[in-house]
Amino acid sequence: MSRLTVEEIKAAYSMRDIVERYGFHPTRAGFIPCPFHSGDRQPSLKVYDRDFHCHACGANGDIFTFVQMMDDVDFRTAYQSLGGVYEKGNRKASMIRRRQFIIEKQAREKAERQFREWRATRFLQVCRLLRMLDEICRNMEPFTDEWEAAMNMRQDNWYKYLILAFGTREEQEDMRELDE
């Protein structure tokens, strides 16, 4: 059996997967009747992507907490029931996994930092170009070939501005790939 870390288990299962494992079917809004208190006429437990919260009794937690509360078990048992394996005395393997996790986390943080830097730089470039094109177009004869080329360039950069200012992360990533 392969060893899964807590983070790998959390990545493998959504909170919805876990509640459905116990026979609950969340509403479209993500609510189920709370199994942790009685008299729940209206579903009061909200199922989020990675955790849950009951708005009536206050029960909340992640997938491990839900399994612990449902099965009345400790964390270790909940961890094992979700695929985790405890191996006594294997500190070296644990240290290697922890180091690997840190390296991957640092790589994700570096990539995010690089993306934010690219976005800020690109946003400034597009804004400067738009201001410059506005100034140039004011001094050009309308409907000439040069004016139309400048207006087309302005329209293209206005679209880029909208993506950088209001677009989704996916749209911005696509734009970044085209820039490279």
Side-chain angles (χ1 to χ4, degrees):
M1 179 180 222
S2 67
R3 278 166 45 116
L4 296 175
T5 65
V6 169
E7 294 306 316
E8 289 169 334
I9 291 171
K10 284 183 175 184
Y13 297 105
S14 71
M15 193 68 232
R16 184 180 205 96
D17 295 333
I18 300 304
V19 299
E20 287 177 350
R21 179 185 271 197
Y22 287 92
F24 295 102
H25 300 288
T27 64
R28 281 191 292 187
F31 284 92
I32 64 170
C34 181
F36 309 119
H37 72 273
S38 59
D40 201 9
R41 290 189 177 98
Q42 291 283 329
S44 60
L45 189 141
K46 174 73 172 175
V47 176
Y48 298 97
D49 187 44
R50 296 284 159 216
D51 56 4
F52 69 94
H53 177 78
C54 177
H55 295 280
C57 72
N60 65 67
D62 61 9
I63 61 175
F64 296 104
T65 309
F66 193 85
V67 172
Q68 283 177 268
M69 293 172 73
M70 287 298 294
D71 296 342
D72 194 25
V73 295
D74 62 1
F75 177 83
R76 180 182 186 142
T77 306
Y79 171 73
Q80 289 172 330
S81 76
L82 293 172
V85 177
Y86 275 101
E87 289 182 14
K88 225 175 179 178
N90 197 349
R91 289 183 53 83
K92 185 176 180 181
S94 176
M95 298 267 295
I96 290 169
R97 275 194 324 279
R98 186 172 295 125
R99 196 172 307 125
Q100 183 63 32
F101 178 77
I102 290 168
I103 290 168
E104 289 170 1
K105 181 179 179 192
Q106 288 171 340
R108 285 190 306 272
E109 288 171 351
K110 181 181 178 185
E112 180 62 26
R113 193 170 44 255
Q114 289 173 335
F115 173 79
R116 284 193 314 266
E117 288 170 2
W118 166 83
R119 186 179 172 275
T121 301
R122 193 68 173 101
F123 192 74
L124 285 173
Q125 290 171 342
V126 167
C127 288
R128 286 182 185 138
L129 189 55
L130 283 170
R131 283 194 300 270
M132 182 186 74
L133 287 167
D134 283 346
E135 189 63 33
I136 289 171
C137 289
R138 265 191 284 258
N139 297 322
M140 293 179 109
E141 181 70 32
F143 306 109
T144 62
D145 290 343
E146 294 82 15
W147 181 83
E148 285 184 17
M151 292 303 286
N152 286 337
M153 184 182 284
R154 187 186 183 290
Q155 186 65 34
D156 181 54
N157 279 280
W158 179 250
Y159 178 70
K160 290 175 183 175
Y161 168 83
L162 292 174
I163 289 174
L164 291 166
F166 308 107
T168 64
R169 174 68 181 251
E170 185 179 341
E171 291 170 326
Q172 293 171 359
E173 289 284 0
D174 289 346
M175 183 177 166
R176 184 179 183 194
E177 285 178 24
L178 291 173
D179 280 355
E180 293 176 353

